[in-house]
Amino acid sequence: MPSAMPKLFSDPEAVVDEIIRGVGSNLVVGLPLGLGKANHIVNALYARAAADPSIDLTLFSALTLEKPKPGGLLEARFGGPLVERLFGGYPDLAYVAPLRAGRLPPNIKVLEFFFLAGRWLHVPFAQQHYISANYTHAASYLLARGLNVVLQLVAKRVVDGETRYSLSCNTDISLDIMRARNEGRAAFKLVGQVNSELPFMGGPGDLPAGEFSAVLDSPDTDFPLFAPPAEPVSDTKYAIGLHAAGLMRDGGTLQIGIGQVGDALAQGLIVRHRNNAQFLQVMARLAPGAAPRETSVFDKGLYGVSEMVFEAFLGLIEAGILKRAVDGVVLHGAFFLGPKDFYRTLREMKPEEISRICMMPVSFTNALYGDEDAKRRARVDARFVNNAMMATLMGAAVSDGLESGQVISGVGGQYNFVAQAFELEGARSLLTLEATRFSGRKALSNIRWSYGHQTIPRHLRDVFVSEYGVADVRGKSDEDVIAAMLAIADSRFQDELSRQARDAGKLPRGFEIPRRHRENFPERIAQALKPARDAGLLPSFPFGSDFTDVEQRLIPALQLLQAVQRTPAKLPGLLWEGLTRAPDAADGECLARLGLDRPKTLAERFYRALVSAALGRSRAN
């Protein structure tokens, strides 16, 4: 049970001494998902266990954050200064490098139930020790392993002489296992590390000091929060977001999962609310003959209940869209992660503003059990929006792994929200996906006939959204589902997909894809969005950016160059264009940012020409 007051420390080594003194040498340590890890204590504990084989250390976590490591000349020159600027002060987690190299000491285990997307592919130890879990089940798995220590980053506040600590960014699992402790079902030490940049969030994660057994609080262990910059929203993502925005009902409920589609969806909702006529125009161009189901402005507003909170939600609050309050709260969340401005905005909010955002346990956001009647009353007309990597023609979704067994990310809360959509009256699950992806230089369809791994089975098929439209497949026959999925597939792959379905006897031999769905090409999407792009309605960074103006000019040029490299035959023309083109002052700033303003080697002259040409083309577009 909690002590009267925690012991305060300024040295992480002393905290480790206290942990081992109180718990012993068999340590089962819970680390919050993502941002909320107490890095200095984790590192000191890892170092102690690595030096002392008598200590048995298990770290149970999810979403271990790593600084980006750009490679290649252009990527390194663009990304290197950016990584230093945004992540230079962030302390690396000591277990990451040996885990990646397969050199963890035999007395140390690292178990995760959710990976930073794609970062742990082909890392055998990480793949072997991955735990497949719904977000709502992770707490029970952790307790079953004998959890005895939780290390968490916290915010601190002193009010009328009383010190309080906020779980802030990670109430998700922490509050659920604390409830188990309060009910006598668990016994563990809660140890905090104070961080001055972490916003103090109220609600159930606002804890008295006595809940903690020890707290590390020192300027020497303060550090800048991990703050990934917002990525530019592509035409594909905007098309997906706009289609999804046309499914949101005024007065309803919104959940958005991890991914850039969230920014696109939020901006689509803002355009619909503030520029309704322009929204209808862009949708008419994007999906001729298929008007969106919901087009009204948001008079009643939306209520947000989402495991992840990110900067787009703040944009929806500011725009007057997220305003339907439940018990005085317009947004309930379970964890957050985002750019520096996002954290700063939360820290600087007035008390009456921040009180409308409440961080809760994941059992609250992701499930209906526990005060179910109240949740049902609150979550009217819910739309749960989550991203998938692939989908099958018969409505199964692939979101977390490959048919080889390799895990890309994790199930997380996706299944939770899909299940909720079927349990709540009027609710729908929207799984979004890009219709294609590239493997090297080859384009592949993300809509497949079949696939050897599934995250969401086809009996839970509901709504799929690609850049080419909406496939509403709930309760439909296999034939109708396949036809709907073909309609949102890229037209380069429709004929082969249709053939596979006919050969399997799932489509009539005479089936034909309607003509209005036979123009599903990326070029059409770009043309449909260009007027809204030019009018400033669909900016690349709708909610701000940590990139400088020069970097923002460079990004589309580097993306264009990357696309051209997939078709090497186009490179000579681009190279000649760059060699014969005189860069202007703005281009000169971009070239200087990459160290190409005064090329010294043949490789630098080559890249200078390509970047110069790409800058010209991207500006013309």
Side-chain angles (χ1 to χ4, degrees):
M1 294 300 291
S3 60
M5 285 296 292
K7 293 183 179 180
L8 301 180
F9 297 89
S10 59
D11 178 12
E13 294 290 343
V15 177
V16 172
D17 290 336
E18 175 69 14
I19 290 171
I20 295 175
R21 189 161 46 244
V23 176
S25 60
N26 186 10
L27 299 169
V28 180
V29 181
L31 308 178
L33 174 149
L35 188 64
K37 295 176 176 61
N39 288 31
H40 286 90
I41 306 176
V42 174
N43 289 350
L45 191 58
Y46 177 86
R48 184 72 60 87
D52 184 354
S54 70
I55 296 174
D56 188 353
L57 175 62
T58 298
L59 300 175
F60 189 108
S61 186
L63 201 64
T64 289
L65 301 175
E66 294 181 87
K67 299 174 187 175
K69 296 180 179 178
L73 188 144
L74 289 182
E75 186 180 345
R77 292 194 179 186
F78 180 82
L82 187 68
V83 169
E84 180 59 30
R85 188 171 79 233
L86 297 182
F87 303 102
Y90 181 78
D92 294 323
L93 288 159
Y95 65 80
V96 171
L99 175 60
R100 191 169 289 285
R103 295 177 182 171
L104 278 179
N107 60 319
I108 299 177
K109 293 183 176 65
V110 178
L111 310 175
E112 291 203 88
F113 69 89
F114 198 95
F115 290 149
L116 194 61
R119 292 300 298 272
W120 294 96
L121 274 173
H122 313 301
V123 179
F125 190 96
Q127 291 286 331
Q128 292 160 18
H129 290 81
Y130 166 77
I131 295 175
S132 186
N134 287 340
Y135 206 165
T136 51
H137 298 163
S140 64
Y141 296 166
L142 183 54
L143 294 173
R145 287 181 175 268
L147 171 73
N148 52 27
V149 179
V150 173
L151 304 179
Q152 174 134 3
L153 207 64
V154 297
K156 174 185 174 182
R157 175 177 291 171
V158 179
V159 180
D160 296 330
E162 178 190 0
T163 299
R164 299 188 68 85
Y165 298 104
S166 170
L167 300 179
S168 188
C169 56
N170 282 95
T171 50
D172 48 348
I173 294 176
S174 298
L175 285 176
D176 282 329
I177 60 176
M178 287 183 69
R179 183 176 70 248
R181 185 175 73 171
N182 293 338
E183 294 171 353
R185 296 184 288 112
F188 58 84
K189 302 285 188 182
L190 178 59
V191 180
Q193 177 176 341
V194 174
N195 185 282
S196 65
E197 288 194 2
L198 202 59
F200 195 101
M201 308 297 291
D206 177 356
L207 303 176
E211 292 284 352
F212 294 79
S213 63
V215 173
L216 176 65
D217 187 358
S218 170
D220 293 335
T221 55
D222 205 10
F223 61 88
L225 295 174
F226 192 93
E231 297 178 16
V233 181
S234 66
D235 285 339
T236 299
K237 295 282 200 317
Y238 259 130
I240 294 170
L242 286 162
H243 285 304
L247 298 173
M248 303 297 150
R249 186 168 295 173
D250 186 26
T253 304
L254 176 65
Q255 178 264 332
I256 308 175
I258 295 174
Q260 287 304 305
V261 168
D263 285 352
L265 166 59
Q267 182 62 17
L269 292 171
I270 290 171
V271 173
R272 172 179 154 185
H273 184 62
R274 290 179 170 173
N275 308 91
N276 194 256
Q278 289 91 330
F279 174 77
L280 295 176
Q281 291 169 8
V282 70
M283 294 307 296
R285 291 191 299 268
L286 197 58
R293 298 179 190 178
E294 304 290 339
T295 60
S296 68
V297 299
F298 293 95
D299 290 327
K300 299 175 184 176
L302 301 177
Y303 158 62
V305 56
S306 186
E307 67 176 35
M308 183 178 184
V309 174
F310 57 104
E311 63 273 22
F313 278 110
L314 302 188
L316 291 173
I317 292 173
E318 191 276 332
I321 295 172
L322 211 63
K323 63 183 178 182
R324 183 172 72 82
V326 173
D327 298 326
V329 174
V330 299
L331 175 60
H332 282 108
F335 81 95
F336 62 71
L337 179 67
K340 290 182 179 295
D341 272 349
F342 173 56
Y343 305 142
R344 184 181 305 112
T345 300
L346 289 174
R347 287 197 305 271
E348 295 175 356
M349 276 186 169
K350 297 176 181 177
E352 62 271 21
E353 295 173 333
I354 198 71
S355 66
R356 288 163 61 81
I357 302 172
C358 186
M359 303 301 291
M360 299 291 287
V362 72
S363 59
F364 176 89
T365 57
N366 291 34
L368 288 179
Y369 51 79
D371 204 7
E372 181 177 334
D373 289 344
K375 289 180 178 179
R376 287 185 177 277
R377 288 193 300 271
R379 299 175 190 187
V380 296
D381 290 329
R383 300 293 181 265
F384 302 113
V385 186
N386 294 281
N387 193 48
M389 299 188 302
M390 292 177 277
T392 70
L393 281 183
M394 288 195 286
V398 181
S399 306
D400 68 311
L402 306 176
E403 57 189 353
S404 66
Q406 290 281 311
V407 179
I408 300 291
S409 54
V411 177
Q414 185 167 113
Y415 187 93
N416 293 146
F417 289 112
V418 171
Q420 266 194 82
F422 282 86
E423 294 163 358
L424 286 167
E425 184 177 353
R428 303 302 300 268
S429 162
L430 279 59
L431 294 182
T432 65
L433 76 162
E434 297 182 77
T436 61
R437 70 182 188 280
F438 276 92
S439 177
R441 297 169 182 170
K442 185 179 181 182
L444 301 174
S445 177
N446 284 330
I447 296 177
R448 310 280 295 260
W449 165 241
S450 62
Y451 197 71
H453 171 75
Q454 297 178 1
T455 311
I456 305 298
R458 66 174 177 153
H459 69 270
L460 290 176
R461 58 197 183 193
D462 196 349
V463 177
F464 287 92
V465 183
S466 83
E467 62 267 36
Y468 299 119
V470 175
D472 185 340
V473 298
R474 182 189 283 197
K476 304 289 179 64
S477 69
D478 281 355
E479 177 187 348
D480 290 342
V481 170
I482 292 168
M485 295 299 288
L486 284 169
I488 66 169
D490 190 290
S491 291
R492 290 170 288 181
F493 304 98
Q494 286 173 327
D495 289 338
E496 174 59 19
L497 289 168
S498 178
R499 181 196 64 76
Q500 290 176 293
R502 290 196 304 273
D503 288 350
K506 283 293 187 175
L507 280 180
R509 280 293 170 187
F511 173 83
E512 292 186 4
I513 298 170
R515 181 177 296 275
R516 68 179 182 275
H517 299 305
R518 298 291 282 175
E519 296 297 324
N520 290 355
F521 298 106
E523 296 78 11
R524 184 181 70 78
I525 298 300
Q527 292 170 2
L529 297 183
K530 191 174 189 305
R533 286 278 206 180
D534 292 343
L537 296 175
L538 305 176
S540 295
F541 298 95
F543 304 106
S545 173
D546 286 325
F547 296 107
T548 66
D549 290 343
V550 170
E551 289 165 348
Q552 290 185 46
R553 291 202 300 271
L554 265 171
I555 288 171
L558 295 177
Q559 290 175 330
L560 187 151
L561 184 56
Q562 185 180 41
V564 169
Q565 288 175 326
R566 298 191 190 108
T567 52
K570 296 182 179 180
L571 277 174
L574 191 69
L575 180 62
W576 177 251
E577 187 178 326
L579 290 171
T580 56
R581 176 179 181 271
D584 60 17
D587 290 348
E589 290 180 325
C590 293
L591 293 169
R593 170 63 177 78
L594 297 176
L596 297 175
D597 51 330
R598 297 180 180 180
K600 297 177 181 178
T601 66
L602 182 62
E604 286 183 340
R605 287 195 288 271
F606 174 80
Y607 280 114
R608 173 191 167 90
L610 290 177
V611 172
S612 177
L615 285 166
R617 288 193 186 182
S618 62
R619 188 183 303 174
N621 292 334

